[in-house]
Amino acid sequence: MIFSETGFHFSGSRSEGSQFAPRRLYCLAMNNPRADIPIREPAPASLDDTILPFEVNALDLRGRIVRLGPAVDAILTSHDYPLPVAKLLGEAIVLTVMLGSALKFDGRFILQTQSDGPVRMLVVDFTSPDKVRACARFDAERIVAAGAAAPGRLLGHGHLAMTIDQGPDMSRYQGLVPLEGNDLEHAAHEYFSRSEQIPTRVRLAVAEEFRGGESGAPRRWRAGGILLQFLPKAGERARQADLHPGDAPPGSETHALPEDDAWVEGRSLVATVDDVELIDPALSSERLAYSLFHEHGVRVFRPAPVSARCSCSRHSVEAMLKSFSQDERDDMVENGKITVTCEFCSSTYVFEPEEISANNTPLDS
Ligand SMILES: [Zn+2]
């Protein structure tokens, strides 16, 4: 047995060549007296396309580490966007997978930006339990002119929307965060601070890996991220310093709220994570969790898989076309056919106009 539902603590024992010091061997047992939790060493190599949930009970921290290889490569390669657009979309994919995979029900989690920068729109759609697809809209000339601009400048001003869709009979939930020239990490912090009031830190990284040799692709995309949240049992410990003084009269004392020591330690540790640690195939998510939190004892749960898959189908496209009026459909006919291309996966669906006439109803209606 390698994993159990109750999770595993990492042992502090050191394997050959491990970079981790053995001096904290005893801490796990001391910090957590439960003897029924198996202890083992962290896996050495990266398990790509996985989400690893973890918790650090001693600090009331919970989090997840996402590691994407073939999934992010498939999406970004199929679109062939300019590099800065691909990188930004890769970050949005990591963020969406981290948040969407935390849903405790079946449904879709959609992250969408709409803004006035060179990248006008990013859409990432996560369908539980494990499917992700993504696309972007951008202004090619402005991307070239922007050169190596920071991600926040590529997005510009606008908003980021996060939508939870549990199906046609359920209400949709949508959270909005303003984009004000900042990057997606910053937008995520804003969202959790204002809307959820959960102290949260997110790190996102995307890069192209270059490989030599005749076999295999010479370049491939990799991406990764870590999400950390402070969830103490006593809710008041999670209070954060006010972002705005509110409508307090001028001159009145601002209420300085010290941050909880456990959270300061947690967010400081996440701030030390380098991009390369999030994407290095030779560093497993477990080892990363261990290297960050081993002094306090870290418990990991069963990693969940994620894959790049589009949910479009001939049937769904047909139903969508039938929702238009006959006049609108007539306008879509080119060379005697209606052709629809999925913006997420570039699949093309070709219909005879008479296939979608009013007296030809969809199968499920
Ligand atoms: Zn598709």
Side-chain angles (χ1 to χ4, degrees):
M1 185 179 69
I2 298 173
F3 289 102
S4 76
E5 288 298 346
T6 51
F8 265 88
H9 268 88
F10 287 145
S11 101
S13 65
R14 192 160 70 144
S15 60
E16 286 284 300
S18 164
Q19 58 188 301
F20 306 120
R23 66 199 157 89
R24 295 286 174 181
L25 269 176
Y26 50 87
C27 278
L28 295 164
M30 285 172 60
N31 285 340
N32 196 323
R34 284 180 58 184
D36 57 329
I37 301 168
I39 290 179
R40 63 161 170 75
E41 285 180 47
S46 159
L47 253 185
D48 282 347
D49 297 344
T50 57
I51 304 140
L52 181 78
F54 67 86
E55 65 181 24
V56 185
N57 276 331
L59 297 177
D60 292 311
L61 301 173
R62 279 180 164 262
R64 30 193 58 218
I65 296 173
V66 166
R67 189 73 64 150
L68 301 178
V72 74
D73 187 55
I75 296 172
L76 298 182
T77 304
S78 74
H79 287 303
D80 201 20
Y81 295 142
L83 277 181
V85 180
K87 202 157 179 288
L88 199 52
L89 186 62
E91 289 181 3
I93 291 169
V94 175
L95 181 59
T96 305
V97 167
M98 279 198 296
L99 300 180
S101 63
L103 295 180
K104 296 285 181 273
F105 46 79
D106 289 339
R108 286 167 69 202
F109 175 87
I110 304 139
L111 182 145
Q112 178 166 356
T113 66
Q114 233 159 352
S115 52
D116 64 4
V119 178
R120 297 196 304 271
M121 194 174 87
L122 299 170
V123 188
V124 191
D125 178 345
F126 180 91
T127 303
S128 64
D130 59 2
K131 277 192 289 191
V132 66
R133 59 180 188 167
C135 63
R137 286 186 193 163
F138 59 93
D139 183 327
E141 284 177 19
R142 289 178 68 199
I143 291 290
V144 173
R153 284 198 47 215
L154 294 178
L155 290 167
H157 289 66
H159 68 260
L160 179 149
M162 291 185 271
T163 308
I164 294 170
D165 183 355
Q166 290 180 259
D169 301 326
M170 308 287 283
S171 57
R172 279 160 76 101
Y173 164 83
Q174 191 170 69
L176 281 178
V177 205
L179 290 172
E180 291 157 341
N182 291 308
D183 59 15
L184 293 173
E185 288 180 4
H186 188 271
H189 298 160
E190 284 281 299
Y191 172 75
F192 281 102
S193 169
R194 288 170 191 267
S195 300
E196 307 272 336
Q197 275 138 35
I198 301 172
T200 300
R201 276 295 176 280
V202 166
R203 284 281 292 109
L204 308 168
V206 180
E208 268 191 306
E209 182 189 18
F210 290 85
R211 295 213 151 196
E214 284 167 30
S215 60
R219 291 156 47 167
R220 57 183 189 179
W221 287 99
R222 296 188 61 79
I226 181 168
L227 168 95
L228 188 73
Q229 298 196 305
F230 181 47
L231 296 162
K233 285 193 184 73
E236 65 271 14
R237 287 180 58 206
R239 277 188 310 192
Q240 294 165 290
D242 286 343
L243 293 168
H244 289 297
D247 22 354
S252 61
E253 228 172 277
T254 39
H255 192 57
L257 203 59
E259 282 183 296
D260 192 278
D261 289 345
W263 173 238
V264 170
E265 177 160 8
R267 69 167 171 71
S268 305
L269 288 169
V270 165
T272 66
V273 175
D274 288 328
D275 282 10
V276 67
E277 292 180 282
L278 295 170
I279 50 183
D280 183 358
L283 176 67
S284 71
S285 300
E286 293 189 341
R287 277 198 182 275
L288 178 58
Y290 177 75
S291 70
L292 288 172
F293 301 111
H294 66 108
E295 295 202 12
H296 300 280
V298 52
R299 184 187 191 190
V300 298
F301 297 87
R302 189 195 295 272
V306 60
S307 63
R309 281 222 306 282
C310 193
S311 52
C312 71
S313 66
R314 187 170 178 85
H315 182 68
S316 63
V317 173
E318 188 178 333
M320 183 270 293
L321 286 173
K322 281 176 176 166
S323 71
F324 289 98
S325 71
Q326 186 62 51
D327 282 350
E328 287 169 318
R329 282 199 299 269
D330 289 344
D331 287 342
M332 297 176 193
V333 177
E334 272 180 39
N335 302 323
K337 305 213 188 291
I338 296 176
T339 304
V340 177
T341 301
C342 174
E343 200 173 353
F344 286 106
C345 69
S346 306
S347 294
T348 299
Y349 300 92
V350 182
F351 295 88
E352 303 291 335
E354 51 271 25
E355 276 184 86
I356 315 168
S357 59
N359 52 10
N360 202 347
T361 51
L363 295 171
D364 61 351
S365 65

